[in-house]
Amino acid sequence: MKPTVTSLPAPGTRPVPYPHRIGFSEPHRHGILLGHERGCTALAAWVPTVVPRRARKPVFLVAEALVSNARKHSRSGDPGGTVRVVVDVNPFLVGVAVTDNGPRGDTVIPYPRLGDPRQAPLPGLHLVDHLAVYWEWDWAWKGAGAGPLTVRAVVENP
């Protein structure tokens, strides 16, 4: 189903600052659109409202790592950039999908990979790899170039 973004301004008015909740017709799917600013205060406040209690901490840690990576390695961290987080909750698993704004034009296109954890300021994908049952990534291609990147992780819902 196509998502609807709530809290968007009317045409001709000033934009509403992020975050924006994203509405879906499926009751198990929830989303939020975050701005480019560092920090995950909005994410930390949002996760408990949509994720069952026992899965909240791992889901938040996975989402926080993926959002931080998106802001650090893509146009999502540039002024005006956004990061989209979608959570799918079912009785046994919670899916987390984080989509960035695509690669910066002046850099080599980075792709998600496990690097040396000692060289990273945050554990990043090593944390995701440890907490998730499964994770993967894919790009949306625009012509001959890479567009937005989505990283999906699945966390147990005990």
Side-chain angles (χ1 to χ4, degrees), residues 39-92:
C40 289
T41 306
L43 185 66
W46 175 73
V47 167
T49 67
V50 297
V51 176
R53 188 170 54 108
R54 292 181 137 190
R56 285 179 190 160
K57 185 173 182 177
V59 167
F60 171 71
L61 291 173
V62 165
E64 179 184 40
L66 296 177
V67 167
S68 294
N69 282 352
R71 289 176 175 156
K72 180 178 179 182
H73 300 293
S74 76
R75 291 189 341 229
S76 293
D78 296 345
T82 60
V83 180
R84 179 179 181 215
V85 181
V86 176
V87 173
D88 284 294
V89 180
N90 76 44
F92 304 105

Side-chain angles (χ1 to χ4, degrees), residues 6-59:
T6 58
S7 303
L8 288 180
T13 62
R14 288 182 32 185
V16 176
Y18 294 105
H20 301 299
R21 286 185 179 247
I22 303 169
F24 293 92
S25 59
E26 301 95 339
H28 59 86
R29 182 170 287 170
H30 311 278
I32 189 167
L33 190 63
L34 304 169
H36 72 278
E37 302 84 11
R38 291 212 182 274
C40 289
T41 306
L43 185 66
W46 175 73
V47 167
T49 67
V50 297
V51 176
R53 188 170 54 108
R54 292 181 137 190
R56 285 179 190 160
K57 185 173 182 177
V59 167

Side-chain angles (χ1 to χ4, degrees), residues 67-156:
V67 167
S68 294
N69 282 352
R71 289 176 175 156
K72 180 178 179 182
H73 300 293
S74 76
R75 291 189 341 229
S76 293
D78 296 345
T82 60
V83 180
R84 179 179 181 215
V85 181
V86 176
V87 173
D88 284 294
V89 180
N90 76 44
F92 304 105
L93 300 169
V94 178
V96 179
V98 175
T99 304
D100 66 25
N101 290 143
R104 293 183 172 106
D106 61 344
T107 62
V108 174
I109 297 174
Y111 62 92
R113 63 188 177 283
L114 293 173
D116 184 352
R118 295 168 294 178
Q119 293 181 359
L122 292 174
L125 285 179
H126 283 279
L127 180 65
V128 173
D129 193 55
H130 176 72
L131 293 174
V133 174
Y134 170 80
W135 69 273
E136 67 178 358
W137 58 273
D138 68 306
W139 267 308
W141 288 93
K142 295 185 175 192
L149 172 80
T150 299
V151 180
R152 290 178 190 82
V154 178
V155 177
E156 283 185 297

